């Protein structure tokens, strides 16, 4: 995005109550809440209303995961129920993403939904040009708004692409291109070992691609090492290669395939290259210097009611509390109430859940063991193997998993937990409640856990604390 210098004196200034810059899930939510409360609200978005999640991330990628999961389950029939012949076909996946999830990347429905709630939508790029003032660069020229009550910043993030020799100008993928693919590649190199890279690696491997992942240290670096080790074993069994400790140095593309040169070992070749090396945002493009904030910072600091400056609130990825849809929606609720002068609990971040939708799913909440020790807590941990639980034994095929608990011994409460397994993200729900509400360990031990369920393994993990 390029920012043009606008002569504000030549543009009429429109007075409104609030301007929301960035209509991702949180931005759309806060703008809708303000509009339905009767405020004159302008929502500004240069891409698609709804943001990354419904078009390039959460929703379409989980459709991909679901499709890949059915292939894996069909291939397990021989272990449990006879025999089955499986042939993968990407076309139904691509069609479903276009028809059911993204409307072929058309946000008309989302725009109309916001306008029906009473908001005004402007397609363009918003920038703070003075305290209380937002200039929007649109296809028809600049528009300037005076926000008398609030400016809300929710710009989200974009894929971060490394400065790698030879990469620019090649048809590499980020998550956006991978989601729009009309065919699965027969071979794939994945740069990056985070949730995005790991989900795509397994998806395309299950659709027949030969997949190699390149990670600086280990996969899922934010998660417990036990979870990463278990998922690495599953990937190895599925034929997905993980090159840990490797770094890309150069890319070549000959019109047919990519060649990736590494700092050690032979070059790798594949039909497609997926770059999943994190996310970035451009604070300078938001013009936050006009309200005294640091445009070179990695994010925007906010208080526990999401206030960033006088008359300015910030929510979502840029606040640094997790680039999750559920985080931006949580913050949107708090920010909207604060703008409207309604009482609301302050934001809390001690029990933020996250799930990587691989098979097995990797769910986590709160602090890892390492983070808890770094925080100076007196830590006790316990791990239990999900496959050895009754439900895991019954499940048999595809039963890899574990539960890890991180306890603050001084307070006798759970401060973190990891749930890995066939429905690891769902089992995480009980652990998230325990961490959020600071439920005493003795209370968790006195609960009745339904038998035979995966979540009953929480009881076994609690027993292992002793």
């Amino acid at each position: 995005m390029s920012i043009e210098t606008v002569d504000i004196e030549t543009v009429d200034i429109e007075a409104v109550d609030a301007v929301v810059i960035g209509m991702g899930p949180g931005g759309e939510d806060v703008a809708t809440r303000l509009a339905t409360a009767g405020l004159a609200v302008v929502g500004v978005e240069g891409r698609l209303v709804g943001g990354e999640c419904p078009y390039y991330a959460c929703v379409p990628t989980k459709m991909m995961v679901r499709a890949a999961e059915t292939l894996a389950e069909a291939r397990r029939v021989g272990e449990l129920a006879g025999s089955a012949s499986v042939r993968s076909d990407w076309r139904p996946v691509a069609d479903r993403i276009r028809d059911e999830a993204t409307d072929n990347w058309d946000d008309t429905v989302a725009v109309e939904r916001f306008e029906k709630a009473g908001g005004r939508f402007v397609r363009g790029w918003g920038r703070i040009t003075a305290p209380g003032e937002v200039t929007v660069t649109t296809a028809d020229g600049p528009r300037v708004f005076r926000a008398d009550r609030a400016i809300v910043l929710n710009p989200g993030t974009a894929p971060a692409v490394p400065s790698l020799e030879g990469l620019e100008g090649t048809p590499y993928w980020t998550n956006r291109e991978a989601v729009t693919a009309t065919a699965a590649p027969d071979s794939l190199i994945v740069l990056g070992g985070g949730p995005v890279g790991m989900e795509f690696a397994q998806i395309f491997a299950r659709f027949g691609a030969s997949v190699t992942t390149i990670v600086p240290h280990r996969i899922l670096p934010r998660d417990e090492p036990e979870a990463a080790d278990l998922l690495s074993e599953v990937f190895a069994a599925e034929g997905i290669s993980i090159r840990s400790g490797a770094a890309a140095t150069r890319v070549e593309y000959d019109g047919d395939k990519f060649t990736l040169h590494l700092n050690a070992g032979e070059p790798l070749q594949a039909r497609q290259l997926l770059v999943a090396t994190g996310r970035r945002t451009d604070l300078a493009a938001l013009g936050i210097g006009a309200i005294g904030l640091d445009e070179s910072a990695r994010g925007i600091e906010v208080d526990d009611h999401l206030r960033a400056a006088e008359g300015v609130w910030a929510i979502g990825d840029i606040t640094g509390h997790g680039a999750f849809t559920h985080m931006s929606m949580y913050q949107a609720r708090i920010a909207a109430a604060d703008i409207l002068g309604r009482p609301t609990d302050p934001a809390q971040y001690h029990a933020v859940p996250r799930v990587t939708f691989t098979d097995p799913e990797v769910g986590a909440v709160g602090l890892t063991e390492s983070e808890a020790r770094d925080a100076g807590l007196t830590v006790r941990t316990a791990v239990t193997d999900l496959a050895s639980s009754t439900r895991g034994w019954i499940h048999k095929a595809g039963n890899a998993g574990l539960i890890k608990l991180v306890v603050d011994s001084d307070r006798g409460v759970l401060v973190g937990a990891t749930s890995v397994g066939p429905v690891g993200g769902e089992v995480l729900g009980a652990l998230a409640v325990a961490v959020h509400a600071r439920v005493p360990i003795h209370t968790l031990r006195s609960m009745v856990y339904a038998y035979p369920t995966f979540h009953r393994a929480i009881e076994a993990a609690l027993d292992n604390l002793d």
Side-chain angles (χ1 to χ4, degrees):
M1 163 186 165
S2 62
I3 302 297
E4 299 177 359
T5 301
V6 177
D7 183 1
I8 303 298
E9 294 182 359
T10 67
V11 181
D12 290 336
I13 297 178
E14 303 174 58
V16 296
D17 292 316
V19 177
V20 178
I21 302 176
M23 293 285 280
E28 183 182 359
D29 186 74
V30 72
T32 300
R33 288 174 183 271
L34 297 179
T36 54
L39 269 61
V41 181
V42 172
V44 180
E45 177 58 63
R47 292 192 176 93
L48 296 169
V49 173
E52 197 85 353
C53 180
Y55 297 102
Y56 300 108
C58 327
V59 176
T61 60
K62 301 318 166 270
M63 287 181 170
M64 292 171 146
V65 166
R66 173 64 179 141
E69 178 184 73
T70 61
L71 292 174
E73 278 294 281
R75 290 167 181 145
R76 293 165 179 156
V77 167
E79 294 184 64
L80 295 170
S83 63
S85 176
V86 182
R87 180 183 62 84
S88 64
D89 182 0
W90 188 257
R91 188 71 252 172
V93 184
D95 288 346
R96 187 181 182 206
I97 288 170
R98 280 161 175 74
D99 298 341
E100 298 179 30
T102 67
D103 285 341
N104 203 23
W105 293 276
D106 184 335
D107 64 353
T108 299
V109 171
V111 172
E112 291 178 348
R113 180 174 61 233
F114 174 57
E115 291 177 337
K116 286 178 181 177
R120 294 167 56 195
F121 176 66
V122 177
R123 181 84 65 190
W125 302 99
R127 175 181 174 85
I128 299 174
T129 42
E133 181 182 274
V134 173
T135 299
V136 183
T137 302
T138 77
D140 299 321
R143 295 180 64 179
V144 181
F145 297 93
R146 187 184 73 238
D148 291 333
R149 289 184 63 168
I151 295 172
V152 182
L153 304 176
N154 177 230
T157 52
V161 179
S163 299
L164 191 57
E165 181 184 348
L167 182 62
E168 187 176 358
T170 68
Y172 67 88
W173 283 353
T174 65
N175 65 296
R176 293 174 179 173
E177 290 77 22
V179 162
T180 63
T182 56
D186 58 19
S187 55
L188 175 69
I189 298 169
V190 178
L191 273 183
V196 173
M198 295 304 92
E199 289 179 7
F200 280 122
Q202 190 174 50
I203 288 167
F204 287 114
R206 288 179 165 183
F207 273 87
S210 172
V211 178
T212 301
T213 66
I214 309 299
V215 298
H217 304 292
R218 65 171 172 88
I219 66 172
L220 302 184
R222 286 193 58 202
D223 287 292
E224 297 282 13
E226 294 92 338
D229 291 345
L230 188 150
L231 189 61
S232 294
E233 292 174 6
V234 171
F235 274 23
E238 294 191 12
I240 301 169
S241 175
I242 299 175
R243 296 284 296 272
S244 299
T249 58
R250 182 163 55 91
V251 174
E252 295 176 6
Y253 181 69
D254 64 5
D256 180 54
K257 62 182 179 299
F258 287 86
T259 300
L260 187 70
H261 296 266
L262 305 174
N263 59 347
E266 294 296 314
L268 300 173
Q269 289 190 335
R271 297 282 186 190
Q272 191 52 252
L273 173 65
L274 171 65
V275 177
T277 50
R279 311 287 297 179
R280 63 169 180 81
T281 193
D282 185 356
L283 295 184
L286 288 174
I288 61 173
I291 52 173
L293 300 182
D294 184 1
E295 295 183 345
S296 65
R298 297 188 63 180
I300 296 177
E301 289 189 17
V302 294
D303 68 11
D304 57 11
H305 284 79
L306 290 311
R307 305 171 190 130
E310 182 67 31
V312 179
W313 286 254
I315 63 173
D317 301 3
I318 57 170
T319 65
H321 293 291
F324 311 122
T325 292
H326 49 274
M327 177 54 68
S328 64
M329 297 288 282
Y330 169 73
Q331 292 177 325
R333 189 168 64 245
I334 296 169
D338 195 51
I339 292 167
L340 294 170
R342 296 172 180 173
T344 181
D345 291 332
Q348 301 180 66
Y349 303 109
H350 67 285
V352 178
R354 63 181 185 274
V355 182
T356 299
F357 291 89
T358 47
D359 179 11
E361 292 178 359
V362 180
V365 62
L367 301 176
T368 62
E369 178 181 354
S370 175
E371 289 168 341
R373 294 191 188 283
D374 289 345
L377 303 182
T378 304
V379 175
R380 277 194 300 159
T381 66
V383 180
T384 190
D385 176 28
L386 199 70
S388 64
S389 69
T390 302
R391 179 60 184 273
W393 173 74
I394 292 169
H395 197 79
K396 190 176 180 178
N399 65 354
L402 62 85
I403 289 176
K404 179 174 181 178
L405 307 180
V406 180
V407 174
D408 177 357
S409 293
D410 292 339
R411 291 183 295 153
V413 296
L414 201 62
V415 293
T418 293
S419 167
V420 184
V423 286
E426 306 305 322
V427 173
L428 185 70
L431 297 166
V433 170
V435 175
H436 178 79
R438 299 179 176 90
V439 178
I441 292 298
H442 70 80
T443 301
L444 296 176
R445 282 183 167 140
S446 68
M447 286 175 55
V448 179
Y449 295 84
Y451 179 91
T453 61
F454 283 118
H455 91 264
R456 188 175 170 85
I458 296 171
E459 187 176 47
L462 289 166
D463 289 342
N464 288 344
L465 284 170
D466 296 328

